[in-house]
């Protein structure tokens, strides 16, 4: 870690008050030091990278102008907020970012008073900030409220709902659109094209800049000439762009586009508009990865690159990785292409996560049959439902945590109509460093209670392939397949497809004393525990494969043979797999002991997956401890 000598200004900033003590002429150097600090730390301690580099100047300008934390600064897609954390007293702890018991990788209310709203999912900032602005209005408070939305978040439906309501409420809210033309992957859709048209219209921007500069010298006159000129400017805009401004049409005053990397200009513009009444939107154009050449050129790769050499831009790779089992997401991607080659009705859908979910493999092979719908999970599900009504077989790939946002669509638009839609839920279970906002803790429980839904989880890569193959045969209705973040266990995974019998588990190890029932890839931890305990106790291990329908025939056999049962799942124990087993055990009058291992009834913070499994007590050691406790209590 570099010493304070390398960061002469940043080392003096422990709060925004310290930032405000600096002269405007020093702020460009602060931005340089912030970027260098982020590069320094993230190169060694992996985290989100490109998005935070892109908003350094904007972050400095906002904290320089506004009186945070009294004024509310709400971030959208929290991985933009690293510079914000560094300016608000967390510089010396930033090396613990995303680590076990360290700083969260996202804004978090419990972590700092400057984090006025917790955020990990996208498109929430406008709605949350509007709530704060209305609260200020009801309290006769003069506190300012700012929402920074960007990194693709404006493609989300909630953002549009917030915009619509902001116009109706007339509350004093400043919305800053950080327009970098990217989410994790390039942003798609009509709104993105509209923003590109605005930012690339040289005629409009040159005329607007000339008008704005000319009127700037008259700001002492009331009413402000810049306010008076707004209607004229909108007419010019409509004429040149051949369309009305979408934000102005919603009665939200629009300013911009402004260069998001000119800190002095940003400060002047924000200072000009911050006290104007009602909803306002400032369009700021930034470059994701700004200031680091490699991140500027390969923005998707450098969204969260892992450990890298900051001098050469070489991302660290273990040469042994090519001999390791693949990531589950890559097995999904390659398998989907194999199936699509044989079944022309298969289509792929992802909400803004082509590379994150490996849907990009399908998009490359079948560009006309794969769709990135933007950060719009609900739309992704209902869009899939529409395709299914016409005989297509949609594979709707969504992270487990993001599927929560589309729950009504799953119930109302897919399950109620019993449509053949395959939901492939990536990142099921504890995901590691992204923490509580991103853990896939609830899908087994929230899908289990939906009629018509099949809920499956593969132990390994071969089972994932066979579940996908079985699902695309059709006729099953909604079919959910969840798998974890990270690698599987099989190097030789590309085996011929085999149809699976729905609702059937399998006995992996024959035992006599205790039965352990597992669902999904966490069964690997069970297998390790069973091996370590083989000289102490006779354990039967069962890979149940399906939470719904349960293999009741297999459970009947287990109930008749074992007086002690442990269920293990990488998901919440409230309403999940273990709960399903207990429900059936009660129905059958089972008198033995059943213990449930899984995610407890609390939110789990960040750490490595191994650390979090251990904390929750269902890693190998936790399973062994539970077995021994049951042995002692018999």
């Amino acid at each position: 870690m570099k010493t304070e000598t390398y960061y002469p200004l940043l080392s003096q900033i422990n709060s925004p008050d310290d930032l405000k003590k600096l002269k405007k002429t020093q702020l460009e150097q602060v931005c340089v030091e912030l970027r260098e600090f982020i590069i320094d730390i993230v190169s060694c301690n992996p985290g989100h990278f490109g998005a935070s580099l892109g908003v350094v100047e904007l972050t400095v300008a906002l904290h320089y102008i506004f009186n945070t934390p009294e004024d509310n600064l709400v971030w959208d897609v929290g991985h933009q907020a690293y510079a914000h954390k560094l300016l608000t007293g967390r510089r010396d702890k930033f090396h613990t970012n995303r680590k076990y018991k360290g700083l969260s990788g996202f804004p978090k209310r419990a972590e700092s008073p400057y984090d006025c709203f917790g955020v990990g999912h996208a498109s929430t900032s406008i709605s949350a900030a509007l709530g704060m602005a209305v609260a200020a209005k009801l309290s006769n408070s003069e506190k300012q409220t700012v929402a920074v939305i960007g990194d693709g978040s404006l493609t989300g439906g909630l953002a549009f709902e917030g915009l619509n309501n902001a116009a109706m409420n007339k509350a004093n809210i400043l919305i800053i659109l950080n327009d970098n033309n990217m989410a994790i992957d390039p942003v798609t859709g009509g709104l993105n094209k509209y923003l590109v048209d605005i930012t690339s219209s040289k005629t409009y921007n040159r005329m607007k800049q000339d008008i704005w500069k000319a009127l700037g010298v008259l700001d002492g006159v009331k009413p402000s000439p810049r306010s008076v000129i707004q209607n004229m400017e909108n007419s010019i805009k409509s004429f040149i762009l051949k369309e009305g401004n979408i934000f102005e049409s919603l009665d939200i005053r629009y300013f911009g586009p402004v260069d998001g990397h000119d800190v002095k200009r940003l400060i002047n513009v924000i200072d000009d508009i911050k006290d104007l009444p009602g909803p306002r939107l400032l369009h700021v154009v930034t470059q994701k990865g700004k200031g680091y050449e490699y991140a500027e050129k390969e923005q998707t790769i450098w969204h969260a690159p892992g450990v890298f050499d900051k001098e050469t831009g070489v991302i660290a790779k273990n040469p042994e990785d090519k001999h390791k089992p693949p990531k589950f997401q890559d097995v999904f991607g390659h398998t989907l292409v194999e199936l699509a080659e044989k079944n022309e009705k298969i289509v792929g859908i992802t909400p803004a996560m082509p590379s994150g979910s490996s849907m990009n493999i399908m998009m490359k092979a079948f560009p006309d049959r794969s769709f990135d719908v933007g950060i719009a999970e609900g739309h992704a599900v209902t869009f899939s439902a529409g395709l299914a009504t016409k005989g297509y077989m949609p594979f709707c790939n969504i992270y487990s945590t993001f599927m929560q946002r589309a729950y009504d669509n799953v119930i109302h638009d897919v399950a109620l109509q019993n449509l053949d839609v395959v939901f492939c839920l990536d990142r099921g279970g504890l995901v590691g460093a992204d923490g509580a906002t991103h853990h896939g803790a609830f899908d087994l429980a929230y899908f289990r209670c939906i009629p018509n839904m099949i809920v499956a989880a593969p132990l390994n890569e071969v089972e994932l392939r066979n579940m996908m193959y079985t699902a695309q045969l059709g006729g099953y209705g909604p079919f959910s397949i969840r798998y974890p973040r990270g690698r599987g266990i099989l190097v030789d995974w590309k085996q011929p497809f085999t149809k699976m019998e729905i609702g059937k588990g399998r006995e992996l190890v024959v035992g006599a004393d205790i039965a352990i029932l597992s669902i999904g890839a966490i069964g690997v931890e069970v297998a390790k525990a069973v091996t370590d305990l083989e000289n102490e106790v006779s354990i039967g291990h069962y890979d149940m494969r399906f939470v719904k329908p349960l293999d009741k025939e297999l459970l009947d056999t287990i109930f008749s043979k074992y007086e002690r049962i442990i269920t293990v799942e990488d998901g919440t124990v409230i309403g999940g797999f273990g709960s399903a087993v207990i429900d059936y055990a009660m129905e059958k009058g089972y008198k033995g002991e059943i213990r449930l291992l899984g995610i407890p009834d609390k939110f789990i913070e960040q750490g490595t997956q191994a650390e979090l499994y251990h904390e929750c007590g269902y890693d190998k050691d936790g399973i062994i401890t539970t077995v021994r406790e049951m042995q002692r209590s018999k």
Side-chain angles (χ1 to χ4, degrees):
M1 176 63 197
K2 290 181 177 177
T3 65
E4 293 183 359
T5 306
Y6 289 90
Y7 306 107
L9 295 180
L10 183 59
S11 63
Q12 302 174 39
I13 301 173
N14 297 306
S15 73
D17 287 340
D18 295 329
L19 179 68
K20 292 179 174 65
K21 295 174 185 176
L22 300 178
K23 299 176 182 178
K24 285 186 181 180
T25 54
Q26 295 177 291
L27 297 183
E28 289 184 356
Q29 180 59 30
V30 171
C31 294
V32 170
E33 293 180 22
L34 276 169
R35 274 203 177 85
E36 186 62 28
F37 192 93
I38 292 171
I39 294 168
D40 240 8
I41 297 296
V42 178
S43 65
C44 302
N45 299 282
H48 293 102
F49 187 63
S52 280
L53 290 185
V55 294
V56 165
E57 287 83 4
L58 178 59
T59 307
V60 169
L62 289 170
H63 280 297
Y64 195 77
I65 290 293
F66 290 100
N67 182 32
T68 56
E70 292 302 310
D71 290 334
N72 301 300
L73 178 55
V74 184
W75 293 92
D76 211 314
V77 188
H79 52 244
Q80 296 185 101
Y82 285 6
H84 161 77
K85 291 200 173 200
L86 295 175
L87 294 176
T88 54
R90 287 167 277 183
R91 182 188 65 251
D92 293 341
K93 293 182 178 179
F94 193 65
H95 65 282
T96 71
N97 189 49
R98 292 164 51 89
K99 291 184 176 180
Y100 191 60
K101 304 297 184 182
L103 293 178
S104 169
F106 302 96
K108 182 180 177 183
R109 279 169 55 84
E111 186 176 289
S112 170
Y114 291 92
D115 295 353
C116 64
F117 197 78
V119 57
H121 293 187
S123 310
T124 60
S125 64
I126 298 174
S127 296
L130 180 60
M132 295 175 188
V134 170
K137 184 178 180 181
L138 292 172
S139 304
N140 295 316
S141 170
E142 295 184 357
K143 291 181 181 179
Q144 299 268 13
T145 303
V146 182
V148 182
I149 185 165
D151 225 35
S153 296
L154 201 61
T155 63
L158 184 62
F160 287 95
E161 293 173 27
L163 284 170
N164 182 59
N165 197 223
M168 184 173 65
N169 268 296
K170 302 295 183 184
N172 291 333
I173 178 175
L174 173 59
I175 301 163
I176 296 183
L177 170 57
N178 169 30
D179 178 9
N180 62 10
N181 197 31
M182 289 288 293
I184 294 176
D185 295 277
V187 178
T188 62
L191 180 64
N192 181 64
K193 180 180 182 300
Y194 172 77
L195 295 176
V196 169
D197 287 345
I198 289 180
T199 56
S200 61
S201 175
K202 295 179 180 179
T203 303
Y204 163 65
N205 286 301
R206 183 170 58 250
M207 184 178 295
K208 174 166 183 170
Q209 191 82 344
D210 291 343
I211 293 172
W212 203 251
K213 286 180 179 178
L215 292 169
V217 298
L218 302 175
D219 271 354
V221 182
K222 300 295 182 181
S224 167
R226 287 180 175 173
S227 176
V228 171
I229 203 66
Q230 196 70 32
N231 289 334
M232 182 195 305
E233 183 189 2
N234 291 336
S235 298
I236 295 170
K237 187 180 305 177
S238 297
F239 174 74
I240 294 174
L241 298 179
K242 295 182 174 59
E243 59 187 8
N245 182 284
I246 187 173
F247 305 110
E248 295 283 354
S249 298
L250 288 170
D251 207 18
I252 296 173
R253 300 182 67 181
Y254 171 89
F255 301 89
V258 176
D259 180 359
H261 300 302
D262 184 340
V263 67
K264 293 179 182 178
R265 173 75 173 139
L266 282 171
I267 287 173
N268 291 337
V269 172
I270 293 171
D271 196 38
D272 270 343
I273 67 176
K274 70 182 179 69
D275 293 318
L276 294 177
R280 292 140 285 149
L281 185 141
L282 174 61
H283 185 177
V284 175
V285 180
T286 63
Q287 182 177 20
K288 193 168 184 176
K290 178 69 174 179
Y292 190 69
E293 178 185 1
Y294 305 104
E296 291 178 3
K297 291 179 178 178
E298 298 284 351
Q299 295 179 345
T300 296
I301 293 173
W302 288 88
H303 174 76
V307 175
F308 62 93
D309 185 318
K310 68 176 186 176
E311 302 298 335
T312 65
V314 175
I315 298 172
K317 292 184 178 179
N318 187 336
E320 296 181 1
D321 282 353
K322 62 183 179 180
H323 303 298
K324 290 181 178 179
K327 294 179 180 179
F328 273 96
Q329 68 179 68
D330 291 337
V331 173
F332 159 80
H334 290 295
T335 300
L336 185 60
V337 170
E338 282 186 70
L339 295 172
E341 288 171 345
K342 300 175 182 180
N343 184 348
E344 63 181 12
K345 292 297 184 180
I346 287 177
V347 291
I349 297 96
T350 179
M353 301 297 290
S355 57
S357 68
S358 293
M359 183 66 79
N360 56 352
I361 300 172
M362 173 74 173
M363 295 175 81
K364 182 177 181 181
F366 295 100
D368 294 336
R369 291 163 56 189
S370 46
F371 306 91
D372 175 2
V373 301
I375 302 177
E377 293 83 3
H379 167 63
V381 170
T382 305
F383 174 59
S384 299
L387 284 161
T389 65
K390 299 304 177 185
Y392 283 86
M393 179 58 66
F395 276 74
C396 184
N397 185 290
I398 301 180
Y399 284 13
S400 170
T401 184
F402 299 144
M403 180 59 83
Q404 294 160 190
R405 305 170 64 130
Y407 193 54
D408 178 66
N409 306 77
V410 171
I411 294 172
H412 183 270
D413 300 332
V414 179
L416 187 63
Q417 303 182 89
N418 202 27
L419 295 173
D420 283 345
V421 175
V422 185
F423 296 111
C424 291
L425 303 191
D426 200 342
R427 271 63 165 180
L430 296 174
V431 299
D434 280 335
T437 59
H438 281 60
H439 293 320
F442 308 111
D443 59 272
L444 294 178
Y446 67 60
F447 271 178
R448 175 193 161 215
C449 63
I450 301 176
N452 296 330
M453 179 71 72
I454 292 172
V455 182
L459 174 66
N460 55 40
E461 302 95 314
V462 172
E463 286 201 348
L464 173 57
R465 285 169 57 79
N466 289 336
M467 285 178 181
M468 291 175 64
Y469 170 75
T470 303
Q472 60 88 40
L473 296 175
Y476 298 114
F479 198 127
S480 166
I481 307 169
R482 68 103 72 159
Y483 45 91
R485 177 182 179 273
R487 297 182 183 276
I489 58 172
L490 302 175
V491 175
D492 186 21
W493 57 273
K494 206 168 186 179
Q495 299 296 318
F497 293 118
T498 301
K499 181 181 178 182
M500 300 182 76
E501 187 174 355
I502 302 299
K504 288 297 179 181
R506 56 178 178 157
E507 183 181 56
L508 298 178
V509 178
V510 178
D513 298 323
I514 295 176
I516 302 181
L517 284 55
S518 63
I519 186 74
I522 200 64
V524 173
E525 292 295 312
V526 175
K528 294 176 185 175
V530 170
T531 299
D532 284 6
L533 289 168
E534 61 185 359
N535 295 324
E536 292 183 39
V537 56
S538 178
I539 299 174
H541 181 196
Y542 298 85
D543 171 26
M544 296 303 291
R545 290 177 166 168
F546 295 88
V547 175
K548 186 177 184 180
L550 274 174
D551 189 342
K552 294 183 178 181
E553 183 179 348
L554 182 57
L555 285 176
D556 288 340
T557 300
I558 294 169
F559 292 160
S560 66
K561 184 177 180 180
Y562 298 91
E563 293 183 356
R564 286 162 293 159
I565 296 171
I566 300 171
T567 67
V568 184
E569 60 197 299
D570 189 13
T572 177
V573 294
I574 306 296
F577 165 64
S579 291
V581 172
I582 285 181
D583 287 348
Y584 185 64
M586 291 181 65
E587 180 184 325
K588 300 294 289 188
Y590 177 69
K591 302 299 183 182
E593 180 184 4
I594 301 178
R595 292 200 186 185
L596 277 56
L597 297 183
I599 300 173
D601 187 21
K602 66 176 184 178
F603 290 108
I604 307 301
E605 300 301 337
Q606 71 278 357
T608 66
Q609 284 171 296
E611 288 170 332
L612 301 181
Y613 293 159
H614 185 73
E615 177 183 318
C616 294
Y618 59 88
D619 64 344
K620 181 191 75 169
D621 293 340
I623 295 165
I624 289 174
T625 297
T626 301
V627 168
R628 287 172 175 165
E629 287 176 352
M630 294 184 83
Q631 280 289 88
R632 287 194 296 267
S633 64
K634 68 178 181 179

